[in-house]
Amino acid sequence: MTNEMTSTAFESLVADAVADAIVVVRRNIDRFGDAYVDDTTRQDRYPLRPAYGPFAKGQNRGWTTSFVPGMQWLAYDLTGDEGFREQALRHAADFERRLRADEDLDTHDLGFLYTLAAVAPWRRTADERWHAVGIGAAERLMTRFLEPAGIIQAWGDLSDLQQRGRTIIDSLMNMPLLTWAGDQTGDPRFADAVRRHTAQLCAHILRDDDSTFHTFYWDAETGRPLRGATEQGASDDSCWARGQAWGVLGFALNYGATGDDTLLDAAWRCADYLLRHVPADLIPYWDLVYSDGSDAPRDSSAAAIAACGLYELAACDPDRARAARARREGDALLDALIARARPANPEDAEALLLHGVYNLPTRTGVDEGTLWGDYFYMEALVRRTRPDWQRYW
Ligand code: GLY
């Protein structure tokens, strides 16, 4: 945000961006109905999720499908329009079916999926049906907790030797489902898992220079920390931009859940490293190893997630001067996203946010809209517009 821009001018820019986002979410309900779109756009259009193995085209599988009802809940929170609520509840019913049918659940991303698809509907309707789905998903996530390492395994079947003992920075975002389940049931296993998993990430996935590994392996038999490695970043010792952004938001949310000051410190370490390594226009390159002048693609979704993390820090950091700085930095990222990644014509757009990267090493979803970029951009708009907004996480 330029120094000259007044806060009223920024607020009016944000209000316009909110109005555009609501238009896109509404039109996507007309376009896609109950079907699930793919993780990213192709040339700015969302294709339906392709058929894969036993799954039909447009079926609910993978880690990103809950961002669609997530955006519908955000639109409902902003407008009170029952159409958004009804469609989000239709998705909640499909996530209930997915859990009961045990479809594509061998992943730590149960947290992303069921926080938005079960906890959010429960928070907004108080219907016990969604409560039961959320608790079922949290119990399933707990089966991935590995002793003696004290981590939740990220990917794959637990007997998959390639994935055994591995977790990833994104996993921080899966902890709020466990925190919620612990609060609801009073069962200390959930909070214990959150405390141990986040402590392991703080100690090993966050490097001494405040950058992060994308993934880290532990010896599943002895619990010994082994080594960091990347999957979606430029190299094992580079810093994948979205991973760093997951660190900002994930550590901040888990600080709120645990009150552990080392997690607050970790969130700030991730934030300051990211802010020191973004180019002048503030939209991160897909890996923070690149800097001004590079023609590497940008990942707008990393900026959207980091903006939410900074707004979370603005809300939870007891140091009020630091909280005010977090809000200013969050505003600067949001302003840059509105200026550089918002589609020109919301009536025609299918993504809320352009110019994201899913996985550059596999050339998947490069310079495209992404479901999580759309969701967290909209969450950042909601956080900025509604300071009293009750989050789903
Ligand atoms: N959580 C997977 C990703 O950020 O690509």
Side-chain angles (χ1 to χ4, degrees):
M1 188 163 33
T2 61
N3 290 335
E4 302 84 55
M5 183 181 272
T6 63
S7 108
T8 319
F10 180 57
E11 270 146 31
S12 126
L13 202 63
V14 170
D16 284 351
V18 165
D20 279 10
I22 290 168
V23 169
V24 179
V25 174
R26 184 171 279 127
R27 288 189 59 86
N28 282 349
I29 292 177
D30 299 338
R31 286 183 184 111
F32 303 119
D34 296 345
Y36 291 90
V37 297
D38 210 352
D39 305 313
T40 72
T41 58
R42 307 269 188 294
Q43 296 172 330
D44 299 334
R45 301 269 149 211
Y46 277 111
L48 288 189
R49 202 155 273 262
Y52 180 76
F55 297 101
K57 187 171 176 180
Q59 207 177 327
N60 185 356
R61 65 177 177 84
W63 73 278
T64 61
T65 45
S66 64
F67 293 119
V68 170
M71 284 185 268
Q72 292 161 357
W73 286 115
L74 291 173
Y76 174 67
D77 286 350
L78 285 163
T79 63
D81 180 335
E82 285 298 320
F84 293 122
R85 182 179 183 272
E86 277 162 25
Q87 185 57 44
L89 288 175
R90 292 174 68 83
H91 286 300
D94 196 59
F95 275 87
E96 179 185 50
R97 183 203 57 75
R98 177 173 168 178
L99 184 70
R100 306 271 178 261
D102 194 352
E103 286 182 358
D104 199 19
L105 304 180
D106 284 332
T107 168
H108 70 147
D109 289 322
L110 290 165
F112 274 114
L113 291 167
Y114 283 88
T115 298
L116 295 178
V119 178
W122 176 76
R123 289 198 196 279
R124 294 305 184 258
T125 66
D127 185 335
E128 288 302 310
R129 178 176 174 190
W130 314 124
H131 190 276
V133 177
I135 298 293
E139 286 290 4
R140 179 65 182 249
L141 183 52
M142 282 298 290
T143 65
R144 305 183 67 80
F145 188 73
L146 301 186
E147 292 285 11
I151 57 143
I152 301 262
Q153 181 173 316
W155 294 323
D157 189 290
L158 293 174
S159 59
D160 178 343
L161 292 180
Q162 297 292 324
Q163 299 300 343
R164 196 154 164 69
R166 186 186 208 185
T167 197
I168 72 175
I169 181 93
D170 327 18
S171 65
L172 292 167
M173 294 299 299
N174 294 318
M175 298 298 105
L177 179 67
L178 300 183
T179 297
W180 171 81
D183 290 346
Q184 293 300 312
T185 60
D187 183 337
R189 283 178 308 128
F190 293 107
D192 188 55
V194 171
R195 190 182 50 72
R196 292 180 60 196
H197 181 85
T198 53
Q200 287 286 49
L201 265 69
C202 219
H204 300 291
I205 221 160
L206 183 56
R207 304 183 182 110
D208 288 345
D209 70 354
D210 301 344
S211 67
T212 49
F213 287 111
H214 176 196
T215 87
F216 201 94
Y217 289 91
W218 278 258
D219 183 315
E221 310 326 313
T222 66
R224 196 163 57 87
L226 296 175
R227 68 189 165 90
T230 199
E231 199 68 32
Q232 284 162 253
S235 68
D236 286 350
D237 54 8
S238 72
C239 182
W240 177 50
R242 192 160 63 256
Q244 193 75 12
W246 290 134
V248 182
L249 179 56
F251 280 125
L253 288 171
N254 284 296
Y255 163 67
T258 60
D260 177 349
D261 286 339
T262 57
L263 301 183
L264 177 62
D265 186 48
W268 270 112
R269 289 170 61 193
C270 289
D272 282 332
Y273 185 93
L274 183 130
L275 293 169
R276 282 198 305 278
H277 290 82
V278 288
D281 66 16
L282 303 186
I283 308 295
Y285 289 97
W286 69 279
D287 191 294
L288 299 180
V289 77
Y290 302 104
S291 52
D292 268 314
S294 166
D295 61 2
R298 311 300 188 91
D299 182 7
S300 59
S301 76
I305 294 160
C308 287
L310 286 159
Y311 287 144
E312 183 64 27
L313 285 170
C316 72
D317 193 329
D319 177 334
R320 295 327 291 161
R322 245 176 15 171
R325 178 162 82 83
R327 185 174 143 104
R328 284 195 303 278
E329 306 278 21
D331 283 355
L333 292 183
L334 186 56
D335 185 52
L337 288 170
I338 293 171
R340 296 176 202 291
R342 169 189 180 191
N345 177 5
E347 291 293 340
D348 183 49
E350 294 186 2
L352 278 67
L353 192 71
L354 309 175
H355 311 309
V357 171
Y358 187 4
N359 187 331
L360 196 124
T362 60
R363 304 295 312 176
T364 312
V366 176
D367 195 16
E368 294 287 356
T370 70
L371 287 177
W372 58 91
D374 291 357
Y375 173 83
F376 285 103
Y377 169 64
M378 193 165 175
E379 187 180 300
L381 291 171
V382 171
R383 283 174 179 267
R384 186 57 176 78
T385 320
R386 300 278 176 93
D388 56 345
W389 178 71
Q390 299 296 307
R391 54 177 161 70
Y392 313 130
W393 307 99

